Amino acid sequence: MTWAPPGKVYVIVDTDSLHGRTARDVLRAVLRGGASLVQYRAKDLSTREMVEEARALVLEARRSSVPLLINDRIDVALAVGADGAHVGQDDMPVDLARRMLGPRAILGVSAPARDLAMRAARDGASYVACGPMFSSPTKPGISPIGPEAIQSIKRAANLPVCAIGGITLANAQRVAEAGADLLAVVSAVMAAPDPEAATRELRTLVEEL
Amino acid sequence: MTWAPPGKVYVIVDTDSLHGRTARDVLRAVLRGGASLVQYRAKDLSTREMVEEARALVLEARRSSVPLLINDRIDVALAVGADGAHVGQDDMPVDLARRMLGPRAILGVSAPARDLAMRAARDGASYVACGPMFSSPTKPGISPIGPEAIQSIKRAANLPVCAIGGITLANAQRVAEAGADLLAVVSAVMAAPDPEAATRELRTLVEEL
């Protein structure tokens, strides 16, 4: 049973990139702007703080019928009834995450190479994320794999592919044209003066294709 | 259904206090020394590293029929099939932790005051931990509550009480005499040149009472 993304615009609300705003305000803005999928990433908060904030965000997202995933923390995802989680290669192993979350949750997996993507698919991923597409301010020092990599990872995993890393309003169309099913952005929206407008613009660029 | 601790010596294997040893070697030593309960605390590892290490520790503890709890991370506890978890006031809320772990898991809760202890009991704690007993190198700047606090917290929670914070071979007997059902130690064992001998000595001091 393959998961079909509800649209391409995937905004990661990262507590490290709030620029003085609250996670809740940013989430509301990106929901108004038309994000199709959202993720809550909070690497430096206590579990208690994460649970309290994530609980409020889940309610906001649900009001807009947009699925919300929790980065890394399966316990937090379960505690707040999120729609799923996203795990990287340093996070919970995919098979264990899938077992804990159950068969219906959305489980994203960072898998920037063909072998990792195949393994993630076998272990229960709903989509695989590959990147960085371009050199990215949030992941300095990692060589970009480019939009050219999307098709080969898609064939390997036979799952929706999420492009991530350095995606901006200037290059989003190129990434969508290369076959990305989801375009995940942090800075392009979080660092924008108006996250709602940035989300809306991104949506216009990629959903028309 | 009240949980009965299998003995009083509770050793916390903290990855911040390994003094160049591996967590697995320290755990083996404290199991040989006769620890009754053990906890794995790893605040600075990735989820993946925690899961891998905790999985090996669970096997070691099981071989000695000693329950092993995971600090804070309910997801890791579930992933590795630990016997339970220990949560503090900044960690997963107790009622949610209990729901995720199920009714048979051991769930410890840090509750250094009567009201917190009562609430923890109501929300599903198996034991409450109170401290610091004495000024402690791992929690500088927090005023000790002393062994005198144990009885009132025990009456409030009506659960086994775990004393923690600054417990050493020199003061352990006094803490046990004050009514502690468990004595949790980090430094007293982890910083000892011979963790096995330190555990054994602690056991001799407190289990005879």
Side-chain angles (χ1 to χ4, degrees):
Chain A
M1 182 180 59
T2 308
W3 174 68
K8 293 197 181 78
V9 177
Y10 183 8
V11 180
I12 299 172
V13 176
D14 188 328
T15 58
D16 278 344
S17 311
L18 291 172
H19 300 275
R21 296 171 283 213
T22 67
R24 193 165 176 178
D25 283 345
V26 173
L27 181 73
R28 280 180 172 155
V30 306
L31 291 171
R32 284 193 305 268
S36 319
L37 182 66
V38 289
Q39 180 189 129
Y40 175 59
R41 180 156 77 188
K43 285 290 184 192
D44 296 319
L45 300 186
S46 70
T47 300
R48 182 68 57 99
E49 289 167 322
M50 282 189 72
V51 166
E52 283 169 5
E53 191 155 63
R55 191 183 270 146
L57 301 190
V58 162
L59 293 178
E60 293 289 348
R62 193 157 295 158
R63 213 167 282 150
S64 301
S65 302
V66 169
L68 184 138
L69 312 188
I70 305 288
N71 188 278
D72 181 12
R73 297 292 298 269
I74 308 299
D75 51 350
V76 175
L78 290 171
V80 304
D83 301 280
H86 183 96
V87 295
Q89 296 293 323
D90 292 332
D91 300 336
M92 185 63 68
V94 181
D95 53 345
L96 297 177
R98 170 56 74 197
R99 201 184 308 159
M100 283 188 257
L101 289 169
R104 289 190 306 189
I106 303 166
L107 177 58
V109 179
S110 299
R114 287 174 48 90
D115 57 330
L116 296 173
M118 281 190 282
R119 188 171 169 176
R122 192 195 64 204
D123 288 350
S126 306
Y127 69 82
V128 291
C130 65
M133 287 293 115
F134 310 102
S135 56
S136 159
T138 60
K139 304 258 180 182
I142 301 178
S143 298
I145 61 172
E148 308 75 54
I150 292 172
Q151 288 299 340
S152 100
I153 289 186
K154 194 187 267 199
R155 278 193 302 271
N158 196 24
L159 284 179
V161 167
C162 170
I164 188 167
I167 297 173
T168 64
L169 295 172
N171 62 34
Q173 215 158 0
R174 195 181 136 205
V175 175
E177 283 167 357
D181 302 288
L182 289 158
L183 286 83
V185 291
V186 184
S187 313
V189 162
M190 300 290 290
D194 183 343
E196 177 181 344
T199 304
R200 186 170 293 118
E201 201 171 337
L202 191 60
R203 189 177 164 124
T204 309
L205 283 169
V206 303
E207 296 291 12
E208 286 175 350
L209 295 171
Chain B
M1 182 180 60
T2 308
W3 175 67
K8 293 197 181 78
V9 177
Y10 183 8
V11 180
I12 299 172
V13 176
D14 188 327
T15 57
D16 279 345
S17 312
L18 291 172
H19 300 274
R21 295 172 284 214
T22 67
R24 194 166 175 177
D25 284 344
V26 174
L27 182 73
R28 280 179 172 156
V30 307
L31 292 171
R32 284 193 305 268
S36 320
L37 183 66
V38 289
Q39 181 189 128
Y40 174 60
R41 180 156 76 187
K43 286 291 185 193
D44 296 320
L45 300 186
S46 71
T47 300
R48 181 68 57 97
E49 289 168 322
M50 283 189 73
V51 166
E52 283 169 6
E53 191 156 64
R55 192 183 271 146
L57 301 189
V58 161
L59 292 177
E60 293 289 348
R62 192 158 296 156
R63 214 167 280 150
S64 301
S65 302
V66 170
L68 183 139
L69 313 188
I70 306 289
N71 186 278
D72 179 14
R73 296 292 297 269
I74 307 300
D75 50 351
V76 175
L78 290 172
V80 303
D83 302 281
H86 182 95
V87 295
Q89 296 292 324
D90 291 331
D91 299 336
M92 185 62 67
V94 181
D95 53 345
L96 297 177
R98 171 56 75 195
R99 201 184 309 160
M100 283 188 258
L101 290 169
R104 291 188 305 188
I106 304 167
L107 177 58
V109 179
S110 298
R114 288 174 47 89
D115 58 331
L116 296 174
M118 282 190 280
R119 187 170 171 176
R122 192 195 65 202
D123 287 350
S126 306
Y127 70 82
V128 291
C130 65
M133 286 293 114
F134 309 102
S135 57
S136 160
T138 59
K139 302 259 181 181
I142 301 178
S143 299
I145 61 171
E148 308 75 55
I150 292 171
Q151 288 300 342
S152 101
I153 288 185
K154 195 186 268 201
R155 279 193 302 271
N158 195 25
L159 284 180
V161 167
C162 169
I164 189 168
I167 297 173
T168 65
L169 295 172
N171 62 32
Q173 215 158 358
R174 192 179 139 206
V175 175
E177 283 166 357
D181 302 288
L182 289 158
L183 286 83
V185 292
V186 184
S187 311
V189 162
M190 300 289 290
D194 184 343
E196 177 180 345
T199 305
R200 186 172 293 117
E201 202 171 336
L202 191 60
R203 190 179 161 122
T204 308
L205 283 168
V206 303
E207 296 291 13
E208 287 175 350
L209 294 172

